[in-house]
């Protein structure tokens, strides 16, 4: 009985304990739900957990038997810790935070809806601002217009609308008015506010102005104008709009002296447009860079010189007939920019020419294919062409003249690096560069030596075995293939070019006292070529050149008989000076005819028009007159902006499909026309030959009727019938002769 009573009391106590624990948990949950903040709920829950753990410890001390009973039957009640409560509290607090966030989000949306909408810019507002600025010079109108200009420049940005802006998106007409007025008039407005001259100026004027009160009051307007204009330049895609914007910003380039970060960015943008732009954009970009260098001086000279040289190297890595004159244009721009400050240009030119010499030295020392490839690539050769042009352009100046000797050594080393017939075009380019340096600096360079070496190679002495072949433009080649090497067209192009360069070289010294002695060795080797060559055309051309050289020697010797000074006398430099100015020697007159013939040959290969831009957009005669003038009116700017599809609210998307179809059709038509022109040019330049040779050699040129390459076996098979026909003709002739004799 006593044991039963004890068990009943234990059960009752257990139920009471469970009830106490559940009541404690309920109290905790109720209190947790009532708490609003995370810190208070966590602290209270932790205190409750500690009290509960203390009660369990007291139960263990007072009634250990009951505690053991709970261990056996209800372990979860005793396995209670602070972590469980912390997790529960965390989830509750997170739910509370979500509710608070939802409430705050609704509150923010309500606030946004309550905010007033931005002002929409209208044409009347812009007209009022412009009139007040032009009539009274109202400063508040200037500030309002600059805010509108910022909105126009940032129209369509990915970042969305600026919440701090007071104006919203405008229509296309308003956009045009803002852009035209600001770009056309803001330079004059800023100069008037800062009390500067109406145009021009140097860096020193801005440096002195930066300490004045006017600059502190109005420099934010200058910064806003330059910064927003830079942003819109990066967003524009229409070349006419970019050209107009750059042309107007050129007048404000002096202000970039106060903002070095803007200056670097403007140089980078202008260099990009100069190298990749089409139409008149490269010229406008170059004039902008040149104006920066003239006005700001040392602040941008180094960066402009390095940047324009790197841009030139990037654009001259490959050459074809369409890109040739564009690269010549880029080279002329670099040479013109170097003339702004020749002492600084000398430092950069020395470094860049030294880099070329190191590349050549590596090729000479290692003699690997990779090293040869670095030298015999268009990038390297065009850099030599560039520095040759720079030294020739400023040969009268003492700054760049010392670079003529190292450049001559590099060019001579390049010409003799791989002395094979396949690199004849490259060697001829090197000879032309050396002739230019010799003519501009008045120094003797033995160009005729490695030109005559070309004539002595067997590839130019024996008759062609590869057929007539297509016309070859040596200006667009550095290396030719082995089949091309055996064609008649390539042999004629090489021999005629060698004759032209030898004539150019000797004509420069045909007025020298020592011309007779100088021409002895070249004449001897040319006579040997006439004896060894088996091609009649080459012998005729060489004999004609020999006669002109002999006539010039007689011309010089007749006048040399009447002089009294020695060859080392300074008076020898004035010998035949008047005749040289008039070009009276027979060799000089013959060189003129050779130049005309070469020009006609090149003109027949390609249309004589200057091509500017990556996509071969025509430049030169087609430049609008406004591009040549410094000042442009609002009418031209309005036409530029109105004609562009980059306008807010325009229907450019709807017009794109039709325009794209028309462009594709026009491109296809132009491609067909170009192909037809190329075929006509090639047909005109096919060298004259007999009908039998043309019939037998045309298939062997490597092309079938569709323009596809023909395997060599097929070409050989096509030659057999012609050869058999010739044999049959000979045998038939012999039989007829025998019959006649028998009769």
């Amino acid at each position: 009985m006593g044991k039963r009573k004890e068990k009943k009391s234990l059960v009752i106590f257990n139920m009471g304990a469970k009830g106490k624990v559940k009541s404690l948990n309920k109290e905790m949950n109720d209190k947790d739900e009532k708490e609003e903040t995370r810190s208070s709920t966590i602290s209270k829950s932790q205190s409750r957990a500690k009290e509960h753990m203390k009660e369990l410890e007291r139960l263990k001390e007072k009634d250990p038997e009951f505690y053991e009973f709970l261990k056996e039957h209800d372990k979860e009640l005793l396995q209670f810790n602070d972590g469980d409560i912390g997790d529960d509290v965390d989830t509750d607090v997170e739910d509370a935070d979500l509710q608070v966030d939802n409430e705050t989000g609704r509150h923010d949306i309500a606030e946004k809806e309550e905010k007033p909408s931005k002002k929409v810019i209208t044409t009347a507002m812009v007209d009022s601002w412009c009139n007040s600025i032009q009539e009274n010079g109202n400063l508040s109108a200037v500030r309002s217009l600059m805010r509108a200009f910022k909105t126009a420049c940032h129209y369509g940005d990915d970042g969305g609308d600026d919440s701090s802006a007071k104006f919203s998106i405008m229509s296309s007409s308003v956009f045009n008015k803002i852009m035209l007025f600001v770009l056309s008039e803001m330079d004059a407005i800023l100069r008037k506010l800062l009390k500067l001259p109406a145009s021009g100026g140097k860096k020193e004027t801005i440096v002195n102005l930066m300490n004045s009160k006017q600059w502190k009051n109005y420099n934010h307007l200058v910064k806003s104008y330059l910064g927003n204009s830079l942003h819109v330049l990066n967003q524009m895609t229409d070349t006419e709009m970019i050209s107009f914007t750059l042309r107007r910003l050129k007048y404000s380039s002096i202000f970039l002296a106060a903002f070095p970060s803007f200056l670097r960015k403007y140089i980078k943008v202008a260099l990009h447009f100069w190298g990749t732009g089409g139409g008149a954009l490269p010229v406008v970009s170059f004039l902008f860079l040149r104006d920066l260098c003239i006005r700001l001086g040392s602040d941008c000279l180094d960066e402009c010189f390095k940047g324009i040289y790197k841009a030139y190297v990037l654009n001259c890595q490959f050459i074809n007939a369409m890109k040739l004159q564009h690269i010549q244009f880029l080279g002329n721009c670099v040479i013109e920019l170097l003339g702004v400050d020749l002492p600084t240009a000398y430092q950069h030119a020395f470094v860049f020419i030294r880099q070329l010499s190191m590349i050549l030295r590596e090729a000479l020392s290692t003699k690997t294919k990779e090293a040869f490839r670095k030298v015999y690539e268009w990038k390297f050769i065009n850099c030599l062409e560039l520095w040759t042009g720079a030294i020739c352009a400023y040969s009268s100046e003492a700054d760049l003249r010392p670079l003529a000797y190292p450049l001559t050594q590099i060019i001579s080393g390049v010409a003799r690096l791989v002395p094979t017939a396949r690199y004849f075009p490259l060697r001829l380019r090197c000879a032309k560069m050396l002739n230019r340096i010799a003519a501009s600096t008045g120094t003797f360079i033995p160009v005729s030596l490695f030109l005559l070496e070309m004539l002595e190679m067997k590839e130019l002495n024996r008759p062609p075995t590869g057929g007539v072949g297509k016309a070859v433009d040596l200006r667009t080649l550095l290396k030719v293939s082995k089949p091309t090497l055996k064609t008649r067209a390539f042999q004629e192009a090489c021999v005629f070019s060698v004759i032209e360069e030898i004539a150019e070289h000797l004509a420069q010294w045909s007025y020298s006292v020592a011309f007779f002695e100088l021409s002895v060795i070249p004449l001897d080797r040319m006579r040997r070529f006439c004896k060894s060559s088996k091609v009649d055309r080459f012998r005729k051309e060489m004999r004609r050149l020999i006669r002109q050289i002999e006539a010039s020697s007689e011309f010089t010797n007749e006048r040399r008989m009447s002089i009294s000074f020695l060859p080392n006398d300074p008076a020898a430099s004035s010998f035949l000076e008047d005749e040289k100015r008039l070009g009276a020697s027979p060799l000089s007159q013959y060189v003129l005819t050779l130049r005309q013939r070469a020009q006609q040959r090149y003109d027949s290969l390609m249309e004589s028009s200057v091509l500017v831009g990556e996509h071969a957009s025509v430049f030169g005669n087609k430049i609008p007159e406004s591009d040549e003038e410094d000042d442009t009116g609002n009418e031209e700017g309005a036409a530029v902006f109105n004609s562009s599809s980059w306008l807010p609210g325009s229907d450019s998307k709807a017009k794109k499909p039709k325009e794209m179809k028309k462009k594709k059709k026009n491109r296809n038509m132009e491609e067909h026309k170009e192909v037809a022109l190329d075929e006509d040019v090639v047909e005109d330049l096919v060298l004259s030959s007999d009908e039998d040779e043309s019939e037998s050699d045309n298939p062997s040129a490597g092309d079938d009727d569709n323009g596809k390459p023909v395997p060599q076996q097929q070409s050989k098979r096509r030659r057999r019938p012609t050869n058999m026909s010739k044999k049959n003709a000979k045998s038939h002739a012999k039989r007829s002769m025998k019959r006649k004799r028998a009769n």
Side-chain angles (χ1 to χ4, degrees):
M1 293 293 291
K3 291 182 179 180
R4 290 179 180 176
K5 289 180 179 179
E6 288 177 358
K7 288 182 180 180
K8 287 181 180 180
S9 61
L10 288 171
V11 172
I12 293 168
F13 186 80
N14 187 9
M15 293 174 66
K18 286 184 178 181
K20 289 181 180 179
V21 172
K22 290 180 180 178
S23 62
L24 287 172
N25 288 331
K26 287 181 180 179
E27 291 176 0
M28 284 177 60
N29 291 330
D30 294 335
K31 289 182 179 180
D32 290 340
E33 292 175 356
K34 292 178 181 179
E35 296 297 330
E36 295 180 356
T37 60
R38 183 183 184 86
S39 60
S40 62
T41 54
I42 293 173
S43 60
K44 289 182 180 180
S45 61
Q46 288 177 353
S47 61
R48 288 287 183 183
K50 289 179 181 179
E51 290 177 2
H52 185 63
M53 293 297 293
K54 288 179 181 179
E55 289 178 358
L56 293 175
E57 289 177 359
R58 291 172 189 169
L59 178 63
K60 183 178 179 180
E61 292 175 357
K62 291 181 180 180
D63 195 351
E65 292 180 358
F66 181 71
Y67 191 83
E68 291 293 331
F69 177 82
L70 291 176
K71 271 188 178 182
E72 293 177 1
H73 296 87
D74 199 355
K75 291 182 180 180
E76 294 178 358
L77 185 63
L78 298 177
Q79 291 176 355
F80 185 87
N81 53 18
D82 297 339
D84 297 333
I85 297 174
D87 294 338
D88 297 334
V89 171
D90 289 338
T91 56
D92 295 338
V93 172
E94 287 175 2
D95 294 335
D97 291 338
L98 288 173
Q99 292 177 358
V100 172
D101 291 338
N102 291 331
E103 292 177 0
T104 55
R106 292 170 186 168
H107 182 66
D108 293 338
I109 291 171
E111 287 181 353
K112 287 181 181 179
E113 291 176 355
E114 291 175 1
K115 284 183 180 179
S117 60
K118 300 175 184 178
K119 290 183 180 179
V120 178
I121 303 175
T122 60
T123 307
M125 294 170 63
V126 177
D127 291 337
S128 63
W129 292 335
C130 296
N131 293 331
S132 59
I133 291 170
Q134 290 176 343
E135 294 175 0
N136 305 322
N138 192 352
L139 186 59
S140 62
V142 175
R143 289 172 177 166
S144 300
L145 188 63
M146 289 307 297
R147 292 192 196 100
F149 180 65
K150 180 181 179 181
T151 305
C153 291
H154 289 267
Y155 172 77
D157 287 356
D158 295 334
D161 296 334
D162 188 4
S163 60
S164 61
K166 293 184 178 180
F167 301 117
S168 64
I169 301 170
M170 69 292 291
S171 63
S172 59
S173 60
V174 175
F175 172 84
N176 291 338
K177 283 193 174 183
I178 293 172
M179 296 296 293
L180 288 173
F181 185 84
V182 173
L183 292 174
S184 302
E185 304 295 336
M186 188 51 64
D187 178 71
I189 294 169
L190 293 175
R191 287 176 180 272
K192 187 176 180 181
L193 290 174
L194 298 171
K195 297 180 180 180
L196 290 176
S199 62
K202 291 284 186 179
K203 178 181 70 174
E204 291 75 15
T205 58
I206 298 298
V207 172
N208 298 330
L209 182 68
M210 290 173 67
N211 298 323
S212 64
K213 184 178 180 181
Q214 290 88 357
W215 181 258
K216 294 178 181 179
N217 292 333
Y218 306 122
N219 66 343
H220 65 281
L221 295 175
V222 180
K223 188 174 182 180
S224 176
Y225 174 57
L226 295 176
N228 292 319
S229 300
L230 177 64
H231 180 81
V232 80
L233 276 176
N234 289 319
Q235 302 299 320
M236 286 180 179
T237 56
D238 185 76
T239 56
E240 293 183 356
M241 291 175 67
I242 298 170
S243 300
F244 178 78
T245 305
L246 271 179
R247 199 182 302 113
R248 299 308 308 174
L249 286 170
K250 186 182 72 171
Y251 300 108
S252 304
S253 60
I254 187 175
F255 294 117
L256 292 172
F259 307 101
S261 61
F262 281 167
L263 177 61
R264 290 191 295 271
K265 292 177 181 178
Y266 268 102
I267 292 173
K268 188 176 180 180
V269 170
L271 287 172
H272 172 72
F273 292 142
W274 174 75
T276 61
L281 182 56
V283 180
V284 176
S285 303
F286 170 72
L287 293 176
F288 180 82
L289 289 170
R290 185 175 177 273
D291 193 73
L292 282 178
C293 293
I294 292 173
R295 297 191 185 282
L296 303 186
S298 59
D299 288 351
C300 65
L301 278 175
D302 292 334
E303 193 165 356
C304 284
F305 286 170
K306 290 179 182 178
I308 200 168
Y309 182 70
K310 290 179 180 178
Y312 174 79
V313 172
L314 289 174
N315 283 277
C316 70
Q317 293 183 4
F318 303 100
I319 280 187
N320 52 28
M322 302 300 293
K323 202 176 179 182
L324 180 64
Q325 294 185 359
H326 173 53
I327 293 174
Q328 292 175 356
F329 163 77
L330 297 179
N332 292 336
C333 289
V334 177
I335 294 168
E336 180 69 21
L337 192 66
L338 293 174
V340 174
D341 191 344
L342 288 176
T344 306
Y346 170 80
Q347 298 175 0
H348 291 279
F350 180 85
V351 173
F352 295 136
I353 292 174
R354 185 174 178 272
Q355 290 176 355
L356 299 176
S357 66
M358 292 173 68
I359 295 171
L360 178 61
R361 184 180 65 181
E362 183 183 359
L364 291 170
S365 59
T366 60
K367 295 183 179 180
T368 60
K369 290 184 179 180
E370 288 295 329
F372 288 158
R373 193 177 292 112
K374 289 181 182 178
V375 176
Y376 283 179
E377 63 179 358
W378 279 115
K379 183 166 59 175
F380 190 93
I381 301 302
N382 282 322
C383 290
L384 291 179
E385 292 270 6
L386 173 67
W387 296 119
T388 300
I391 290 172
C392 294
Y394 306 109
S395 59
S396 60
E397 303 292 335
D399 296 295
L400 296 183
R401 195 179 180 87
L403 297 175
Y405 177 74
L407 185 63
T408 302
Q409 295 296 317
I410 295 171
I411 295 170
S412 301
V414 170
R416 291 190 171 93
L417 183 61
V418 183
T420 60
R422 295 183 65 185
Y423 288 99
F424 276 174
L426 184 142
R427 181 174 280 208
L428 286 169
R429 291 181 77 93
C430 293
K432 288 181 180 180
M433 287 187 273
L434 292 176
N435 276 334
R436 290 174 62 191
I437 294 173
S440 60
T441 58
T443 56
F444 176 76
I445 301 173
V447 182
S448 61
L449 294 179
F450 60 87
L451 284 172
L452 293 169
E453 288 176 3
M454 295 171 62
L455 294 177
E456 293 171 357
M457 291 185 180
K458 60 182 181 180
E459 286 81 4
L460 297 183
N461 282 322
R462 60 189 181 187
T465 59
V468 177
K470 290 185 177 181
V472 178
D473 189 359
L474 297 177
R475 300 175 302 170
T476 61
L477 296 173
L478 294 180
K479 178 183 176 182
V480 295
S481 60
K482 290 181 180 179
T484 305
L485 195 64
K486 300 176 183 179
T487 60
R488 180 178 173 180
F490 176 75
Q491 285 188 359
E492 286 198 357
C494 285
V495 173
F496 291 159
S497 298
V498 168
I499 291 172
E500 291 165 6
E501 294 306 320
I502 292 174
E504 287 278 356
H505 167 65
L506 295 176
Q508 295 173 10
W509 305 102
S510 61
Y511 304 95
S512 173
V513 181
F515 178 71
F516 176 77
E517 291 77 9
L518 186 147
S519 61
V520 170
I521 295 176
L523 279 173
D524 182 58
R525 296 179 71 173
M526 283 188 280
R527 290 190 185 101
R528 270 187 277 169
F529 172 78
C530 290
K531 292 180 181 179
S532 62
S533 178
K534 298 178 182 179
V535 184
D536 292 336
R537 298 183 306 280
F538 300 161
R539 290 198 297 266
K540 289 179 181 178
E541 287 293 331
M542 190 60 70
R543 285 169 185 165
R544 191 178 293 120
L545 176 60
I546 290 171
R547 286 195 296 268
Q548 298 298 329
I549 295 172
E550 291 173 348
S552 295
S553 297
E554 294 177 0
F555 174 81
T556 306
N557 289 336
E558 288 177 359
R559 287 155 181 78
R560 196 168 71 170
M561 297 297 291
S562 62
I563 63 173
S564 59
F565 53 81
L566 297 175
N568 59 354
D569 197 327
S573 60
S574 61
F575 177 71
L576 297 180
E577 189 174 1
D578 296 334
E579 288 81 354
K580 184 178 182 180
R581 193 180 301 110
L582 297 174
S585 70
L587 190 57
S588 296
Q589 295 175 0
Y590 178 64
V591 166
L592 293 177
T593 60
L594 291 178
R595 288 175 184 172
Q596 292 176 359
R597 188 179 68 180
Q599 189 62 39
Q600 290 175 0
R601 187 169 67 248
Y602 292 141
D603 289 344
S604 61
L605 290 172
M606 190 181 71
E607 293 182 0
S608 58
S609 60
V610 180
L611 303 176
V612 177
E614 185 180 2
H615 302 291
S617 52
V618 178
F619 172 75
N621 296 329
K622 294 186 179 181
I623 303 179
E625 296 180 357
S626 56
D627 292 333
E628 298 177 358
E629 300 174 357
D630 289 337
D631 193 10
T632 55
N634 292 335
E635 295 180 358
E636 182 200 353
V640 168
F641 279 92
N642 286 326
S643 63
S644 175
S645 61
W646 189 74
L647 294 174
S650 63
D651 297 329
S652 59
K653 293 183 180 179
K655 296 177 182 178
K656 277 184 180 179
K658 295 182 180 178
E659 292 177 355
M660 290 297 290
K661 289 181 180 178
K662 290 181 181 178
K663 287 181 180 179
K664 287 182 179 179
K665 290 181 180 178
N666 293 333
R667 286 177 185 173
N668 292 332
M669 293 295 292
E670 289 175 359
E671 288 176 359
H672 287 305
K673 289 180 181 178
E674 289 176 0
V675 171
L677 286 173
D678 293 338
E679 291 176 356
D680 293 339
V681 169
V682 171
E683 289 175 1
D684 292 337
L685 284 173
V686 170
L687 303 175
S688 60
S689 59
D690 297 333
E691 294 178 358
D692 294 337
E693 290 180 358
S694 63
E695 290 176 0
S696 61
D697 291 336
N698 281 337
S700 64
D703 292 335
D704 60 2
D705 297 335
N706 297 327
K708 297 180 180 179
V710 180
Q712 294 181 358
Q713 294 179 356
Q714 294 181 4
S715 62
K716 289 180 181 177
R717 289 176 184 174
R718 291 184 182 180
R719 290 181 192 173
R720 288 174 187 171
T722 58
N723 294 332
M724 292 298 293
S725 63
K726 289 181 180 178
K727 289 180 181 179
N728 293 333
K730 289 180 180 178
S731 62
H732 181 70
K734 288 180 180 179
R735 290 174 185 172
S736 62
M737 289 294 292
K738 288 180 181 179
R739 289 174 183 173
K740 289 180 181 179
R741 289 175 185 174
N743 295 328

